[in-house]
Amino acid sequence: MDWTTGGLVTANPVWVGSSELTMTPGGLRACVDAGAGAVVAKSVNESAAARRQLDIADYAFVSPDREVRQPGVAHREDGLLNRSGLAQVALDEWLGILAEAVSHGAGRGCPVLGSITLGDPPAAARIGRAMAKVVPGVELNIGAPHGREATAVRQLTEVDAVAEAVRAVRATVDVPLFVKLPGQASDVVALARAARSAGADGIGLVGRYPGFLPDLDGGAVLGSWGAWGSPACLPMSLYWVSKTRLALGPDVPLVGTNGARTTADVLRFLASGAGAVEIVTALWTDGPPVLAELAEGVQSFLEARDLTPAAFVGSALEGARDYADVAPVRPPAWLRYAGPSGR
């Protein structure tokens, strides 16, 4: 079954998100060949400082009981705390790498998208114009958590700033434009509405969160603050996906990210209103074969229930109620958790 999200037709809804895993020709090919629905290449921008930031990149996988593990022994259920930077390559060379990856993906029905992590909006627009000549879609990331720590990239959390940045890039990009938003903002739905009004074809929800973890032996894991994502973030991500779906309607394509590691996680993103789901950390821990596992799991689930993508995406919202519309729980649920003192 085909999936259509923001003007892109893909074989399945399991996309690969932008990361160091999509920063090289080999990494891009491996994700395409493993069965991704689409692949988002590593982000670039105009800043030399953002590229230098990759020199201090570091990664810590954190188990559910807070054990810190290195990449080689990480598990899929682990959270990821990391520092990162942007691709260390000149734009012309990067466009050549993208063109090769796009050609490889086209032969396998897998769109390869370019990605820009925002620095300066006019510069992003210039990069977008060049990128749109070689890729079938562009992701503008204005939700990078590293923007709270490094001036070379920006995280936008105000409606007017989002609209300005998206409008600038939209004016130069004539392919589908996806705008990735932060999860840490006073009103993510308002940011999504602003991005859509300014010309976004699709909305990515949501970027990872700022994180910090002491190592208890002195200092901090990674020796700094970082960006945090984990399976425990899933309900937080789905909150904004579902609320945005309700507010903007089913005609606004949404791409879910931050929290999906299993087939059930992907399905929960879809049921909440996302038309596609980006995977990154599960690729770090399980390698490219995880993509086929997730895609086949989604297809098997829908086929077993004779469901089309259109019928399933957003289906969980039919049973969701505002607090004011929820019937009283009988007997009161709090009694089950209050213990002897509550009786």
Short mmCIF file of all heavy atoms in Angstrom, two decimals, residues 312-338:
data_model
loop_
_atom_site.label_atom_id
_atom_site.label_comp_id
_atom_site.label_asym_id
_atom_site.label_seq_id
_atom_site.Cartn_x
_atom_site.Cartn_y
_atom_site.Cartn_z
N PHE A 312 -6.90 4.63 9.23
CA PHE A 312 -6.23 4.44 10.51
C PHE A 312 -5.60 5.71 11.05
O PHE A 312 -5.61 5.95 12.26
CB PHE A 312 -5.16 3.35 10.38
CG PHE A 312 -4.51 3.01 11.69
CD1 PHE A 312 -5.23 2.39 12.71
CD2 PHE A 312 -3.18 3.32 11.91
CE1 PHE A 312 -4.62 2.08 13.92
CE2 PHE A 312 -2.57 3.02 13.12
CZ PHE A 312 -3.30 2.39 14.13
N VAL A 313 -5.03 6.53 10.16
CA VAL A 313 -4.34 7.74 10.62
C VAL A 313 -5.33 8.66 11.33
O VAL A 313 -6.36 9.06 10.77
CB VAL A 313 -3.66 8.47 9.45
CG1 VAL A 313 -3.13 9.84 9.89
CG2 VAL A 313 -2.51 7.63 8.90
N GLY A 314 -5.05 8.98 12.59
CA GLY A 314 -5.91 9.85 13.38
C GLY A 314 -7.07 9.14 14.05
O GLY A 314 -7.88 9.79 14.72
N SER A 315 -7.15 7.82 13.91
CA SER A 315 -8.32 7.09 14.41
C SER A 315 -8.46 7.13 15.93
O SER A 315 -9.57 7.03 16.45
CB SER A 315 -8.27 5.63 13.95
OG SER A 315 -7.07 4.99 14.38
N ALA A 316 -7.36 7.30 16.65
CA ALA A 316 -7.44 7.32 18.12
C ALA A 316 -8.19 8.55 18.63
O ALA A 316 -8.72 8.54 19.74
CB ALA A 316 -6.04 7.30 18.73
N LEU A 317 -8.25 9.59 17.82
CA LEU A 317 -8.89 10.82 18.27
C LEU A 317 -10.40 10.69 18.36
O LEU A 317 -11.05 11.48 19.04
CB LEU A 317 -8.51 11.97 17.34
CG LEU A 317 -7.01 12.21 17.19
CD1 LEU A 317 -6.73 13.41 16.32
CD2 LEU A 317 -6.36 12.38 18.55
N GLU A 318 -10.95 9.70 17.67
CA GLU A 318 -12.40 9.50 17.73
C GLU A 318 -12.86 9.14 19.14
O GLU A 318 -13.99 9.43 19.52
CB GLU A 318 -12.81 8.42 16.74
CG GLU A 318 -12.52 8.76 15.29
CD GLU A 318 -12.77 7.60 14.35
OE1 GLU A 318 -13.30 6.57 14.82
OE2 GLU A 318 -12.44 7.72 13.15
N GLY A 319 -11.99 8.50 19.90
CA GLY A 319 -12.36 8.10 21.26
C GLY A 319 -11.79 8.99 22.34
O GLY A 319 -11.90 8.67 23.53
N ALA A 320 -11.14 10.09 21.95
CA ALA A 320 -10.52 10.98 22.93
C ALA A 320 -11.48 12.12 23.27
O ALA A 320 -12.15 12.67 22.39
CB ALA A 320 -9.22 11.55 22.39
N ARG A 321 -11.55 12.47 24.54
CA ARG A 321 -12.48 13.49 25.02
C ARG A 321 -11.74 14.59 25.77
O ARG A 321 -10.76 14.33 26.47
CB ARG A 321 -13.52 12.87 25.96
CG ARG A 321 -14.36 11.76 25.34
CD ARG A 321 -15.40 12.32 24.38
NE ARG A 321 -16.21 11.26 23.80
CZ ARG A 321 -15.93 10.66 22.66
NH1 ARG A 321 -14.85 11.00 21.97
NH2 ARG A 321 -16.72 9.71 22.18
N ASP A 322 -12.23 15.82 25.66
CA ASP A 322 -11.76 16.88 26.54
C ASP A 322 -12.14 16.54 27.97
O ASP A 322 -13.12 15.83 28.23
CB ASP A 322 -12.40 18.22 26.15
CG ASP A 322 -11.89 18.73 24.82
OD1 ASP A 322 -10.77 18.36 24.43
OD2 ASP A 322 -12.63 19.51 24.17
N TYR A 323 -11.37 17.05 28.93
CA TYR A 323 -11.65 16.74 30.34
C TYR A 323 -13.11 17.01 30.69
O TYR A 323 -13.75 16.24 31.43
CB TYR A 323 -10.75 17.58 31.24
CG TYR A 323 -9.33 17.08 31.39
CD1 TYR A 323 -8.77 16.18 30.50
CD2 TYR A 323 -8.54 17.54 32.44
CE1 TYR A 323 -7.47 15.75 30.64
CE2 TYR A 323 -7.22 17.10 32.60
CZ TYR A 323 -6.70 16.21 31.69
OH TYR A 323 -5.41 15.78 31.85
N ALA A 324 -13.65 18.12 30.19
CA ALA A 324 -15.00 18.51 30.56
C ALA A 324 -16.05 17.52 30.06
O ALA A 324 -17.19 17.49 30.57
CB ALA A 324 -15.31 19.90 30.02
N ASP A 325 -15.68 16.69 29.07
CA ASP A 325 -16.63 15.76 28.48
C ASP A 325 -16.46 14.33 28.96
O ASP A 325 -17.16 13.42 28.49
CB ASP A 325 -16.50 15.79 26.95
CG ASP A 325 -16.81 17.16 26.37
OD1 ASP A 325 -17.68 17.85 26.94
OD2 ASP A 325 -16.17 17.53 25.37
N VAL A 326 -15.52 14.10 29.87
CA VAL A 326 -15.29 12.75 30.38
C VAL A 326 -16.29 12.45 31.49
O VAL A 326 -16.44 13.25 32.44
CB VAL A 326 -13.84 12.61 30.91
CG1 VAL A 326 -13.64 11.23 31.53
CG2 VAL A 326 -12.84 12.84 29.78
N ALA A 327 -16.94 11.30 31.40
CA ALA A 327 -17.92 10.91 32.42
C ALA A 327 -17.20 10.55 33.71
O ALA A 327 -16.06 10.05 33.69
CB ALA A 327 -18.74 9.73 31.92
N PRO A 328 -17.82 10.77 34.86
CA PRO A 328 -17.20 10.40 36.14
C PRO A 328 -16.85 8.91 36.18
O PRO A 328 -17.59 8.08 35.66
CB PRO A 328 -18.28 10.75 37.16
CG PRO A 328 -19.09 11.80 36.51
CD PRO A 328 -19.11 11.45 35.04
N VAL A 329 -15.71 8.61 36.76
CA VAL A 329 -15.26 7.23 36.88
C VAL A 329 -15.90 6.62 38.12
O VAL A 329 -15.82 7.17 39.22
CB VAL A 329 -13.72 7.17 36.99
CG1 VAL A 329 -13.25 5.73 37.18
CG2 VAL A 329 -13.09 7.78 35.75
N ARG A 330 -16.56 5.48 37.94
CA ARG A 330 -17.23 4.80 39.05
C ARG A 330 -16.75 3.37 39.17
O ARG A 330 -16.81 2.63 38.17
CB ARG A 330 -18.75 4.81 38.83
CG ARG A 330 -19.35 6.21 38.81
CD ARG A 330 -19.37 6.80 40.23
NE ARG A 330 -20.05 8.10 40.28
CZ ARG A 330 -19.43 9.25 40.48
NH1 ARG A 330 -18.12 9.26 40.66
NH2 ARG A 330 -20.10 10.38 40.51
N PRO A 331 -16.27 2.94 40.37
CA PRO A 331 -16.03 3.77 41.55
C PRO A 331 -14.86 4.72 41.30
O PRO A 331 -14.09 4.51 40.37
CB PRO A 331 -15.69 2.75 42.63
CG PRO A 331 -15.10 1.60 41.87
CD PRO A 331 -15.87 1.54 40.58
N PRO A 332 -14.70 5.77 42.10
CA PRO A 332 -13.62 6.73 41.85
C PRO A 332 -12.26 6.07 41.72
O PRO A 332 -11.84 5.29 42.58
CB PRO A 332 -13.69 7.63 43.09
CG PRO A 332 -15.11 7.55 43.54
CD PRO A 332 -15.52 6.13 43.27
N ALA A 333 -11.56 6.38 40.62
CA ALA A 333 -10.29 5.71 40.35
C ALA A 333 -9.25 6.01 41.41
O ALA A 333 -8.38 5.17 41.70
CB ALA A 333 -9.77 6.15 38.97
N TRP A 334 -9.30 7.19 42.01
CA TRP A 334 -8.26 7.54 42.96
C TRP A 334 -8.23 6.60 44.15
O TRP A 334 -7.19 6.41 44.79
CB TRP A 334 -8.41 8.99 43.42
CG TRP A 334 -9.64 9.29 44.24
CD1 TRP A 334 -10.85 9.71 43.78
CD2 TRP A 334 -9.76 9.19 45.66
NE1 TRP A 334 -11.73 9.88 44.80
CE2 TRP A 334 -11.08 9.57 45.98
CE3 TRP A 334 -8.90 8.83 46.69
CZ2 TRP A 334 -11.55 9.58 47.28
CZ3 TRP A 334 -9.36 8.85 47.99
CH2 TRP A 334 -10.68 9.22 48.28
N LEU A 335 -9.38 5.96 44.46
CA LEU A 335 -9.41 5.04 45.59
C LEU A 335 -8.51 3.83 45.36
O LEU A 335 -7.99 3.25 46.31
CB LEU A 335 -10.84 4.56 45.84
CG LEU A 335 -11.79 5.58 46.50
CD1 LEU A 335 -13.20 5.01 46.56
CD2 LEU A 335 -11.29 5.95 47.89
N ARG A 336 -8.34 3.47 44.11
CA ARG A 336 -7.52 2.28 43.81
C ARG A 336 -6.03 2.56 44.08
O ARG A 336 -5.24 1.63 44.18
CB ARG A 336 -7.70 1.87 42.35
CG ARG A 336 -9.13 1.45 42.02
CD ARG A 336 -9.18 0.62 40.76
NE ARG A 336 -8.75 1.33 39.56
CZ ARG A 336 -9.59 2.05 38.79
NH1 ARG A 336 -10.86 2.15 39.12
NH2 ARG A 336 -9.13 2.66 37.73
N TYR A 337 -5.64 3.84 44.15
CA TYR A 337 -4.24 4.19 44.28
C TYR A 337 -3.92 4.87 45.60
O TYR A 337 -2.76 5.10 45.91
CB TYR A 337 -3.85 5.12 43.13
CG TYR A 337 -4.09 4.48 41.77
CD1 TYR A 337 -5.22 4.80 41.03
CD2 TYR A 337 -3.21 3.54 41.25
CE1 TYR A 337 -5.47 4.21 39.80
CE2 TYR A 337 -3.44 2.94 40.02
CZ TYR A 337 -4.56 3.30 39.30
OH TYR A 337 -4.81 2.70 38.08
N ALA A 338 -4.93 5.20 46.38
CA ALA A 338 -4.69 5.97 47.58
C ALA A 338 -4.14 5.13 48.73
O ALA A 338 -3.57 5.67 49.68
CB ALA A 338 -5.98 6.67 48.03
#
